[in-house]
Amino acid sequence: MPLSAPAHSSPLFDQVRFVLNETSHPGNVGSAARAIKTMGFGCLVLAAPRAGAEVLRDPEAVALASGADDVLAHARVVADLDAALEGVSWAVALSARSREYGPPNAPPRESAAMAVQHAGQGETVAFVFGSERTGLSNADVERCNALVHIPANPMYSSLNLSQAVQLIAYEARLACLALELGEPLHAANVAPAVIDAPGREALATRDDVEGMLAHLERALVDLDFLDPDNPKKLMTRLRRLFAKSHLEREEVNILRGIAKHILERKVRR
């Protein structure tokens, strides 16, 4: 049975955030606002846009928003990606290239389904897009829980930023509508759909995991297990491990307790 579109977005749609990181062209901001509004979303966050906060009032951005002026008016401009992801439990990075390290890879449809599963639990989720020229850095990608590569024509795979936003917003809309109608979500290729399991504790937010990783890193340095001058890929691999694990808050607290004990024991010695 085909999914029917509601006349307006539901609270579920409000849990989805679209983040543009270091965007260069005001026109892409306006086009992205239009793209997400056509799919029922309205939360747009700009992390360190090249034109600053004035980009929201740029004539080109306003013109290309083409009726999505309300999305521009309510868009937030923040200093960096960390600020843009504050309060986000599940973040999906969009990249035109694969990465040797980083979070698990997933196709657009499956990643949108997994993100919407988290949104259905009342969590805030985000889709993160990089700058037009350089995309997302490895460090930016590692801040996210999943990495998505749009399988475009390999002979000409260059997508405009707003086109990528439109495609992901469409997949996220399908997932939202499916969840509202009780339809199955196509998230099998992302990770086990464990968030609805009976007895499952509350999942850790992205902020919870970031705090734990910083705490654990300090403990590993104090143990001389991690050399801060030559860290290699240790923390990157740990990020990937925890991204695949869907940590509960209690599990994060256990890991932080271990890190705290390591640091306190060294002080006592």
mmCIF file of all heavy atoms in Angstrom, residues 20 27 134 164 231:
data_model
loop_
_atom_site.group_PDB
_atom_site.id
_atom_site.type_symbol
_atom_site.label_atom_id
_atom_site.label_comp_id
_atom_site.label_asym_id
_atom_site.label_seq_id
_atom_site.Cartn_x
_atom_site.Cartn_y
_atom_site.Cartn_z
ATOM 1 N N LEU A 20 24.221 21.944 7.966
ATOM 2 C CA LEU A 20 25.144 22.306 6.886
ATOM 3 C C LEU A 20 26.409 22.852 7.526
ATOM 4 O O LEU A 20 26.368 23.859 8.240
ATOM 5 C CB LEU A 20 24.523 23.354 5.964
ATOM 6 C CG LEU A 20 23.143 23.050 5.367
ATOM 7 C CD1 LEU A 20 22.754 24.150 4.372
ATOM 8 C CD2 LEU A 20 23.123 21.692 4.695
ATOM 9 N N GLY A 27 23.189 30.668 -1.861
ATOM 10 C CA GLY A 27 22.134 30.032 -2.644
ATOM 11 C C GLY A 27 21.866 28.607 -2.201
ATOM 12 O O GLY A 27 20.710 28.153 -2.214
ATOM 13 N N THR A 134 35.091 21.010 -0.034
ATOM 14 C CA THR A 134 35.902 19.964 0.609
ATOM 15 C C THR A 134 35.080 18.900 1.326
ATOM 16 O O THR A 134 35.634 17.900 1.782
ATOM 17 C CB THR A 134 36.868 20.599 1.618
ATOM 18 O OG1 THR A 134 36.120 21.313 2.623
ATOM 19 C CG2 THR A 134 37.816 21.564 0.927
ATOM 20 N N ALA A 164 21.755 16.862 -2.659
ATOM 21 C CA ALA A 164 22.001 15.820 -1.677
ATOM 22 C C ALA A 164 21.050 15.964 -0.498
ATOM 23 O O ALA A 164 20.505 14.974 0.012
ATOM 24 C CB ALA A 164 23.450 15.884 -1.205
ATOM 25 N N PRO A 231 49.308 9.271 18.566
ATOM 26 C CA PRO A 231 48.096 8.514 18.920
ATOM 27 C C PRO A 231 47.709 7.450 17.906
ATOM 28 O O PRO A 231 46.880 6.583 18.203
ATOM 29 C CB PRO A 231 47.027 9.597 19.002
ATOM 30 C CG PRO A 231 47.504 10.664 18.058
ATOM 31 C CD PRO A 231 49.002 10.651 18.171
#
